[in-house]
Amino acid sequence: MTDDKLRYIDRAIQAYYEQNLVSERLTEAILYSVNAGGKRIRPMLLLAVLEAFGHELTMSHYQVAAALEMIHTGSLIHDDLPAMDNDDYRRGRLTNHKQFDEATAILAGDSLFLDPFGLIAQSNLSADIKINLILELANASGSSGMVGGQMLDIEGESAQLSPTALNQIHANKTGQLLTFPFVAAGILAKQSQAVLASLRQAGQLVGMAFQVRDDILDLTASFEELGKTPQKDLAADKATYPSLLGLEQSKTMLDQLLNQAQAIFQTLEEAHSFDQTKVVAFIERLRLNG
């Protein structure tokens, strides 16, 4: 079933780029990164939460999930550029600007930031739901979310950051796009504002946990495990959770964040028609022994 969902997500992206082809090279560069073997964590979370509310998945749901993956992939292309993290490898193979060239990679990233809104607009959803999803995704992705967090991260590279400042960076840079799938699923399931607020809180906790885990793995995992160059943050003397809190405290923080998120899902299950089983199973994989 998981493989089927991945295929439907990929098919939604592929179908979008089969329309109105303008530049074959640009499309090739876009799909090079889209098809690089990512785990599709964000879209799969969206679908799992939607199913938890008892909804049967439709192509429109897969299009929204695909739009989220497109934004995420675009951010990776830009993150890897020489002016940003300057990485040669992503997901175990050459980064986009190394496989093609820097200008093409920039345009591929630009496309993956803009095209998702067209994909959502094409979906067979009500106008109100489309508008809410587009607004939510724009806020999560742009200057009030991921991009704003990336700017804070750049500004903090030469500073001695406090844990509070580091939290602010990653609540936006990483956390917003991991919060979106929870809130978007609630919007698609037509849940109340109170439920949406709980889903947003759970997403924020999962987003922070994801970054703590990423920082730990950057320090402890190999290239083969990560699919990218390890210990780059250490080499750059960049503030991370292990560098500020220590490795063991970071591991404790990771578990605490995931436990808090699971408590929210438990409450939703008790108070609403929400089957937390698949969502919790997904969250459990974020633990270091998951």
Side-chain angles (χ1 to χ4, degrees):
M1 191 64 178
T2 296
D3 288 343
D4 288 342
K5 289 176 183 175
L6 291 172
R7 278 195 292 271
Y8 280 123
I9 293 166
D10 292 347
R11 189 178 301 169
I13 299 173
Q14 188 77 33
Y16 185 86
Y17 286 109
E18 289 173 354
Q19 306 174 93
N20 304 320
L21 177 64
V22 172
S23 167
E24 186 173 340
R25 180 173 173 80
L26 177 60
T27 300
E28 182 186 357
I30 291 166
L31 295 178
Y32 173 82
S33 290
V34 167
N35 297 329
K39 297 175 183 177
R40 309 290 194 248
I41 289 171
R42 292 154 189 81
M44 291 295 284
L45 271 172
L46 190 158
L47 298 174
V49 176
L50 192 51
E51 285 186 310
F53 283 112
H55 283 253
E56 186 173 340
L57 300 179
T58 69
M59 183 49 63
S60 291
H61 299 147
Y62 284 108
Q63 287 173 314
V64 176
L68 173 57
E69 184 64 20
M70 289 160 72
I71 294 271
H72 173 60
T73 302
S75 75
L76 300 183
I77 293 174
H78 279 189
D79 279 352
D80 291 335
L81 289 167
M84 303 288 276
D85 290 344
N86 194 24
D87 270 312
D88 292 343
Y89 293 94
R90 170 72 67 174
R91 293 172 172 170
R93 61 177 181 171
L94 287 173
T95 50
N96 200 289
H97 68 278
K98 288 292 183 179
Q99 178 71 16
F100 296 91
D101 56 70
E102 193 171 339
T104 301
I106 291 170
L107 293 174
D110 289 346
S111 301
L112 286 163
F113 288 145
L114 296 168
D115 293 339
F117 300 101
L119 180 55
I120 292 175
Q122 287 180 359
S123 67
N124 189 28
L125 297 167
S126 72
D128 285 348
I129 287 179
K130 287 181 187 179
I131 289 169
N132 287 332
L133 289 171
I134 287 170
L135 176 61
E136 196 71 38
L137 187 57
N139 287 338
S141 306
S143 58
S144 61
M146 177 187 69
V147 176
Q150 180 67 56
M151 190 72 242
L152 291 179
D153 192 31
I154 291 170
E155 292 174 336
E157 283 180 356
S158 57
Q160 294 294 319
L161 296 177
S162 67
T164 300
L166 190 62
N167 287 344
Q168 184 185 14
I169 290 170
H170 292 306
N172 289 289
K173 180 185 174 184
T174 304
Q176 290 270 22
L177 271 196
L178 278 157
T179 300
F180 176 82
F182 294 91
V183 179
I187 292 170
L188 288 164
K190 300 180 181 179
Q191 295 299 305
S192 68
Q193 290 300 313
V195 171
L196 290 178
S198 294
L199 290 169
R200 189 179 302 279
Q201 184 183 4
Q204 289 166 346
L205 290 164
V206 171
M208 191 64 69
F210 190 90
Q211 183 61 50
V212 174
R213 181 179 187 271
D214 195 60
D215 283 359
I216 292 170
L217 292 178
D218 181 72
L219 194 64
T220 61
S222 65
F223 174 85
E224 289 72 23
E225 292 168 312
L226 294 176
K228 59 182 180 179
T229 307
Q231 299 188 7
K232 285 206 71 177
D233 292 339
L234 181 65
D237 196 26
K238 191 173 180 179
T240 64
Y241 286 100
S243 72
L244 292 184
L245 305 177
L247 189 57
E248 291 308 313
Q249 191 172 340
S250 297
K251 292 178 180 178
T252 299
M253 181 181 180
L254 170 61
D255 283 334
Q256 289 174 341
L257 289 165
L258 295 176
N259 290 342
Q260 290 172 47
Q262 288 186 10
I264 293 173
F265 300 136
Q266 180 65 40
T267 300
L268 285 173
E269 184 170 72
E270 292 168 357
H272 303 275
S273 298
F274 185 84
D275 182 358
Q276 66 171 324
T277 308
K278 290 183 180 178
V279 180
V280 169
F282 210 100
I283 298 304
E284 279 297 309
R285 295 178 207 164
L286 296 179
R287 296 191 192 273
L288 292 177
N289 59 351

